[in-house]
Amino acid sequence: IMKYLFIEKSDGIGVIIINRPDAMNAMNSDVVSELSITVSDMIADKEIGVIIITGSGEKAFVAGADIKAMQQMNAEDALEFGKTGQEMTLVIENSPKPVIAAVNGFALGGGCEISLACHIRVASENAIFGQPEVLLGLIPGWGGTQRLPKIVGTGIANELIITGNQISAQEAHRIGLVNHVVTQTELMDTCKEIGKKILNNGPNAIAKSLNCIHESFDKSIEDGLEFEVKAFANLFSREETKEGLSAFVEKRKANFRP
Ligand code: CO8
């Protein structure tokens, strides 16, 4: 049983709700480890094909790492807290099951960084994004300097990180930080609709697609293409791919998740 998370599972979708209402869902080390464990459990859970992460309440997704906890830390503690938070973001980013961030309010600092590790970001109209670490004399420590430039480009990432500016959901959409902006009431349904579409498709094909896209950042075009074609060919030894191809030829809907 988790102290800071609500967990819901239905129709192949696992929803993780970060719930720390007295601190705008800020992440202390307990919340970090609960989130890592829960995402890992859902990755291992055969009933689940898509994961959604959101914050409880109507104000905050996650307002960052816990500033009161960081105030008490020395460099050694900060290294530990930084590393466990980064590991949490890697569990999310490397998940073979797509992780959707349903950003329902403030996504600041570590909260923005959790969303950056997700494969798809959907925001409600009231969401606010930012990396305000420099205002605290800090830098982003859970992947913000690494993932934000890959998503929005270096120029915009530089400005966001060194000004600490907070931006609206609309602005986040304009710069490509979020895929969709919807009302707060529509947020969860929109994420579940995207999830349902994904669940119609082959789970190995989904995992390999995400893996190829992720790997492409560190590879030359030739190496990336080689990685892609091997992954493509590998699928032909799988039942899933036989089912997908046969279903088309037989004019029926593929059943990838019997
Ligand atoms: N940490 C701890 N407590 C927080 C945090 C936080 N990040 N954010 C909000 N709270 C607490 C407030 O202290 C307050 O508690 P209390 O009632 O006991 O005073 C309660 O939540 C409600 O907050 P507010 O009264 O401030 O609510 P407002 O609606 O006025 O403001 C904001 C909401 C704008 C979200 C505001 O709370 C705020 O600015 N929060 C801090 C945002 C921030 O700077 N986040 C970045 C933190 S740094 C970070 O995330 C680093 C990540 C990498 C870590 C690497 C580890 C080494």
Side-chain angles (χ1 to χ4, degrees):
I1 201 93
M2 297 290 167
K3 187 170 173 210
Y4 295 109
L5 305 180
F6 297 135
I7 297 162
E8 297 167 4
K9 298 176 194 179
S10 64
D11 303 325
I13 301 179
V15 181
I16 303 171
I17 303 161
I18 299 166
N19 179 50
R20 207 184 158 207
D22 52 351
M24 295 270 163
N25 304 329
M27 306 286 290
N28 59 23
S29 53
D30 290 339
V31 193
V32 171
S33 80
E34 288 192 2
L35 186 57
S36 290
I37 291 167
T38 305
V39 174
S40 301
D41 286 351
M42 287 188 177
I43 292 170
D45 187 337
K46 289 196 168 55
E47 303 286 304
I48 288 177
V50 170
I51 301 165
I52 298 174
I53 300 177
T54 192
S56 77
E58 298 187 342
K59 282 194 81 174
F61 174 69
V62 169
D66 189 320
I67 298 172
K68 292 168 190 168
M70 286 191 290
Q71 192 197 9
Q72 308 301 319
M73 290 180 190
N74 60 27
E76 203 184 326
D77 302 329
L79 186 65
E80 177 65 25
F81 190 50
K83 279 189 173 168
T84 51
Q86 289 185 341
E87 279 160 21
M88 165 190 72
T89 66
L90 285 170
V91 171
I92 296 169
E93 183 168 58
N94 293 330
S95 166
K97 300 177 181 178
V99 185
I100 302 174
V103 182
N104 58 309
F106 288 108
L108 299 176
C112 187
E113 290 170 301
I114 291 171
S115 83
L116 296 175
C118 294
H119 303 107
I120 294 173
R121 282 161 292 285
V122 182
S124 57
E125 291 162 336
N126 61 308
I128 302 278
F129 291 81
Q131 296 289 161
E133 282 88 347
V134 289
L135 279 76
L136 301 162
L138 295 174
I139 66 166
W142 291 346
T145 66
Q146 305 305 300
R147 295 191 180 99
L148 188 60
K150 288 178 180 168
I151 296 169
V152 302
T154 308
I156 291 171
N158 285 342
E159 183 175 341
L160 281 173
I161 291 174
I162 66 180
T163 61
N165 278 349
Q166 298 184 12
I167 60 170
S168 67
Q170 290 302 342
E171 177 67 358
H173 187 234
R174 195 186 67 78
I175 64 174
L177 179 54
V178 301
N179 299 36
H180 309 280
V181 181
V182 297
T183 64
Q184 193 157 50
T185 357
E186 292 167 328
L187 180 63
M188 212 22 97
D189 284 346
T190 304
C191 293
K192 286 186 176 169
E193 281 308 314
I194 296 170
K196 272 185 206 158
K197 281 199 180 154
I198 295 170
L199 288 171
N200 287 331
N201 306 328
N204 289 301
I206 290 165
K208 284 209 187 295
S209 299
L210 291 176
N211 188 227
C212 285
I213 294 166
H214 181 59
E215 288 288 322
S216 75
F217 280 103
D218 309 317
K219 288 184 159 56
S220 67
I221 183 69
E222 289 81 5
D223 290 350
L225 288 171
E226 192 185 333
F227 191 81
E228 183 191 67
V229 80
K230 282 183 178 156
F232 181 86
N234 177 279
L235 288 168
F236 284 74
S237 58
R238 293 186 184 260
E239 284 309 312
E240 169 186 312
T241 304
K242 295 192 179 86
E243 165 64 10
L245 297 170
S246 306
F248 180 86
V249 174
E250 292 161 18
K251 300 188 189 298
R252 61 176 175 83
K253 195 172 179 291
N255 182 9
F256 289 121
R257 298 173 198 260

